[in-house]
Amino acid sequence: AQKVTQAQTEISVVEKEDVTLDCVYETRDTTYYLFWYKQPPSGELVFLIRRNSFDEQNEISGRYSWNFQKSTSSFNFTITASQVVDSAVYFCAGGGTSYGKLTFGQGTILTVHP
Amino acid sequence: EAGVTQFPSHSVIEKGQTVTLRCDPISGHDNLYWYRRVMGKEIKFLLHFVKESKQDESGMPNNRFLAERTGGTYSTLKVQPAELEDSGVYFCASSQGIRGEQFFGPGTRLTVL
């Protein structure tokens, strides 16, 4: 079975601060996929980033970056220079290679104050 | 290109009634998933279609839930009879391949009174 833990229930920052959202993904799979989704107040789930367990590099995409540490099963997501529009619930999710279903964490509520 | 659409956006029904939720995936996506988020808890998987076949229905809570995907296009999720604990937001997602990113619809908020 897979387990996704987002230890931070809520985070509050002031605009332009950097913020890191934590995620731990536990699985027995040797190959797996990790995702971050954003749920703004409008309710839809928006795909943000994907990381494969076999990827060598951590990446940056605009103001988003992510850091995957296989030894600790952590998949942290950082927003640089946060903006008010980043306020949302952020979900970490993981899936395996032999099945399609995703396992989600409980979500982290991010509030960015002006 | 249109994203995943779901209908209705909200549904309020009484306990014991029947409700049918619809999902239209992104065109060309063979994989279609249903998930549910109940009472602010984590989003939980319900089932997975590959085209018209049920690939995995391990998350379906009980036999009051029936999902179909006739013709491998849109899918319906019927709850009959609805119970109070079925209240929540039902999300549909689709992907091209089984390992592809899943793109989610806006969800259907179901309230059972």
Side-chain angles (χ1 to χ4, degrees), chain B residues 32-50:
Chain B
L32 187 150
Y33 308 82
W34 284 98
Y35 293 85
R36 178 174 75 169
R37 189 178 192 208
V38 174
M39 289 291 289
K41 296 188 175 179
E42 65 269 23
I43 300 165
K44 286 207 166 179
F45 167 80
L46 295 177
L47 88 158
H48 171 204
F49 283 100
V50 177

Side-chain angles (χ1 to χ4, degrees), chain A residues 33 35 37 39 43-45 47 50 89 91 96-102 104-106, chain B residues 33 35 37 40-43 45 48 56 58 91 98-106:
Chain A
Y33 308 94
F35 306 87
Y37 285 86
Q39 186 182 37
E44 74 276 20
L45 281 166
F47 165 73
R50 170 199 179 119
V89 184
F91 291 96
T97 57
S98 59
Y99 52 88
K101 67 180 180 183
L102 296 180
F104 282 83
Q106 289 204 314
Chain B
Y33 308 82
Y35 293 85
R37 189 178 192 208
K41 296 188 175 179
E42 65 269 23
I43 300 165
F45 167 80
H48 171 204
D56 180 356
S58 61
F91 290 102
I98 196 171
R99 304 182 188 93
E101 292 84 62
Q102 294 181 23
F103 295 93
F104 282 75

Side-chain angles (χ1 to χ4, degrees), chain B residues 17-92:
Chain B
Q17 289 186 321
T18 298
V19 63
T20 299
L21 314 181
R22 173 171 170 144
C23 168
D24 286 79
I26 292 172
S27 178
H29 282 192
D30 288 339
N31 293 271
L32 187 150
Y33 308 82
W34 284 98
Y35 293 85
R36 178 174 75 169
R37 189 178 192 208
V38 174
M39 289 291 289
K41 296 188 175 179
E42 65 269 23
I43 300 165
K44 286 207 166 179
F45 167 80
L46 295 177
L47 88 158
H48 171 204
F49 283 100
V50 177
K51 296 185 180 178
E52 67 275 10
S53 300
K54 291 177 186 174
Q55 180 79 6
D56 180 356
E57 48 185 332
S58 61
M60 294 287 263
N62 52 60
N63 59 10
R64 294 185 294 103
F65 289 75
L66 175 64
E68 295 180 324
R69 193 183 182 197
T70 307
T73 54
Y74 71 90
S75 173
T76 57
L77 179 65
K78 180 159 69 174
V79 185
Q80 178 182 30
E83 298 289 344
L84 299 178
E85 64 265 25
D86 300 333
S87 295
V89 180
Y90 290 76
F91 290 102
C92 175

